[in-house]
């Protein structure tokens, strides 16, 4: 998993924040904190940077946007975690 590029959608929400905080302590990862609010994603990345051993970036991404596939391609990530809710009614 070292040197993996991970995108966490909903990365500043309840579940996503816990995951991102934990991943940030693992050396050699490139973590992109993402969601519909670029400013919330940026704030979490900035707050975690002083103690992180992973590289942290942020992006404004909407998993329900028709352009989502193009956004994923542009971000060039190898792992995507969708922690954005609400979860009921979402497809796998």
């Amino acid at each position: 998993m070292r040197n993996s590029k991970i995108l966490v959608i909903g990365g500043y929400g309840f579940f996503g924040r816990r995951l991102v905080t934990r991943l940030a302590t693992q050396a050699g990862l490139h973590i992109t904190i993402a969601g519909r609010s670029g400013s919330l994603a940026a704030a979490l990345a900035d707050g975690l940077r002083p103690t992180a051993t992973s590289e942290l970036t942020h992006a404004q991404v909407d998993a329900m946007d028709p352009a989502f596939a193009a956004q994923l391609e542009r971000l060039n990530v190898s792992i995507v975690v969708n922690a954005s809710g609400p979860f009921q009614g979402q497809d796998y």
Side-chain angles (χ1 to χ4, degrees):
M1 191 152 129
R2 205 160 180 65
N3 297 320
S4 292
K5 294 173 117 183
I6 303 169
L7 173 69
V8 182
I9 303 167
Y12 49 81
F14 183 78
F15 293 111
R17 177 184 296 267
R18 292 179 67 138
L19 176 62
V20 167
T21 301
R22 185 66 181 251
L23 288 173
T25 66
Q26 305 300 310
L29 300 178
H30 177 100
I31 304 161
T32 302
I33 303 166
R36 290 179 294 196
S37 173
S39 61
L40 289 176
L44 180 57
D46 292 343
L48 290 175
R49 269 194 196 97
T51 58
T53 57
S54 290
E55 183 179 344
L56 296 171
T57 59
H58 58 87
Q60 187 169 348
V61 173
D62 184 349
M64 303 314 222
D65 189 320
F68 180 61
Q71 292 173 339
L72 278 180
E73 191 173 324
R74 205 170 32 258
L75 290 169
N76 190 33
V77 295
S78 50
I79 299 169
V80 176
V81 177
N82 186 354
S84 65
F87 301 107
Q88 61 273 31
Q90 286 193 26
D91 197 356
Y92 289 103

